């Protein structure tokens, strides 16, 4: 019990020092398509990043992660994000996403 009382304040301080917290990782995500693509149907577009802050919430109409995805898809004109990593900046209440962008191949 004594160890817990010693380490709890240290854990709290460590959380305050590092404002970035990893929320989740996934395989694929998209705000414009509902099905996972076949790799033969998409082409890689490079690294994409998007973010959305709680202070801008009135401008969006879905959740922070959804808005971050949509921001990245719009900025880089991609259809999907592969291996997205979602981070939360606790200081600014912003969510960001970073991953590999993919576009549907034109047929």
């Amino acid at each position: 019990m004594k160890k817990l009382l010693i380490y709890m304040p240290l854990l709290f301080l460590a959380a305050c020092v590092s404002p970035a917290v990893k929320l989740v990782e996934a395989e694929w995500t998209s705000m414009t398509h509902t099905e996972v693509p076949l790799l033969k149907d998409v082409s890689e577009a490079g690294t994409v990043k998007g973010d959305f802050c709680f202070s801008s919430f009135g401008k969006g109409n879905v959740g922070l992660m959804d808005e971050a995805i949509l921001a990245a898809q719009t900025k880089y004109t991609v259809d999907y994000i592969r291996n997205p990593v979602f981070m939360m900046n606790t200081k600014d209440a912003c969510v960001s996403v970073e991953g590999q962008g993919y576009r549907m191949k034109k047929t």
Side-chain angles (χ1 to χ4, degrees), residues 68-83:
I69 295 166
L70 191 58
Q73 284 188 259
T74 302
K75 181 177 181 180
Y76 297 93
T77 59
V78 295
D79 296 297
Y80 295 94
I81 302 173
R82 187 174 189 191
N83 299 322

Side-chain angles (χ1 to χ4, degrees), residues 37-57:
L38 299 173
L39 282 177
K40 68 179 184 70
D41 296 334
V42 292
S43 60
E44 188 172 344
T47 302
V48 298
K49 299 176 186 180
D51 62 354
F52 193 79
C53 297
F54 184 76
S55 61
S56 304
F57 206 80

Side-chain angles (χ1 to χ4, degrees), residues 5 19 26 28 34 38 69 71-72 78 82 85 95 104:
L5 292 175
W28 291 93
T34 57
L38 299 173
I69 295 166
V78 295
R82 187 174 189 191
V85 176
V95 171
M104 293 297 292

Side-chain angles (χ1 to χ4, degrees), residues 7-57:
Y7 290 117
M8 280 303 271
L10 294 175
L11 290 172
F12 179 74
L13 288 173
C16 292
V17 171
S18 176
V21 177
K22 184 186 290 186
L23 296 174
V24 68
E25 295 179 12
E27 288 187 45
W28 291 93
T29 190
S30 176
M31 286 297 292
T32 55
H33 297 278
T34 57
E35 295 183 11
V36 175
L38 299 173
L39 282 177
K40 68 179 184 70
D41 296 334
V42 292
S43 60
E44 188 172 344
T47 302
V48 298
K49 299 176 186 180
D51 62 354
F52 193 79
C53 297
F54 184 76
S55 61
S56 304
F57 206 80

